Amino acid sequence: MKTGLLGQLAITFATMSLGAIGGANAVLPEMHRQAVSVHGWLDDTTFANLFAIAQAAPGPNVIFVSLIGWHLAGPTGLAVATAAICLPSSLLTFGVSRIRRRLIGANWMKLLQLALMPIPLALMAASGLIMAQAADHTLLTVVLTAGTTLFVAFTQRNPLWALSVGGLLGGLDFLLTAG
């Protein structure tokens, strides 16, 4: 069966939605693999740029999926991609929360929650690595990524400070190399 672009978007993101433990960014490595390597919808640079726009915009991180849909198929692609990433996990969460409410005091439920905790952390760490690989093509970008990572890990300051410095240095680099 041949599926058009909108069908591919729906199937791809609906499937990822069910594995997005910790949010859409948790499945970023799989999004990258599907969008760049499997379907060829985007190249590494476009993927990284859309991600950067989504992170700079106010609102939830899932806006990244909406931007991919918009980039590929305009407003219809935006609607399909957004519904596909949000609806399956929302329905699953609703169902599980109703069951969990009944079992909240059970010891095995507490153990299960503790056992599942490392999964979203590992998925988010993998996402950071994939984004660094997609975005870091020069010595400056590698240094900025490493510096931002250290800044966020070892200070209590807002990460927007690191992003601002990165933006200024990137703009300065662009002006110096373009001129």
Side-chain angles (χ1 to χ4, degrees), residues 84-108:
I85 197 72
C86 292
L87 194 58
S89 59
S90 296
L91 292 173
L92 180 63
T93 300
F94 177 73
V96 169
S97 71
R98 293 180 57 91
I99 295 167
R100 184 180 172 270
R101 206 171 318 139
R102 291 187 205 130
L103 303 171
I104 195 72
N107 285 336
W108 67 269

Side-chain angles (χ1 to χ4, degrees), residues 59-76:
N61 290 335
V62 76
I63 195 172
F64 175 57
V65 174
S66 304
L67 289 175
I68 291 174
W70 178 274
H71 181 78
L72 296 174
T76 307

Side-chain angles (χ1 to χ4, degrees), residues 90-178:
S90 296
L91 292 173
L92 180 63
T93 300
F94 177 73
V96 169
S97 71
R98 293 180 57 91
I99 295 167
R100 184 180 172 270
R101 206 171 318 139
R102 291 187 205 130
L103 303 171
I104 195 72
N107 285 336
W108 67 269
M109 179 60 87
K110 292 176 188 174
L111 183 62
L112 180 63
Q113 286 177 274
L114 285 173
L116 291 175
M117 200 169 296
I119 295 173
L121 296 174
L123 289 171
M124 287 184 270
S127 298
L129 179 63
I130 292 295
M131 287 312 302
Q133 290 173 337
D136 293 346
H137 301 294
T138 67
L139 179 60
L140 176 63
T141 56
V142 170
V143 168
L144 286 173
T145 298
T148 301
T149 302
L150 293 171
F151 179 82
V152 170
F154 295 109
T155 72
Q156 296 295 317
R157 299 208 184 272
N158 190 318
L160 290 177
W161 287 107
L163 288 173
S164 298
V165 169
L168 290 172
L169 290 174
L172 182 62
D173 181 57
F174 176 77
L175 291 174
L176 292 175
T177 57

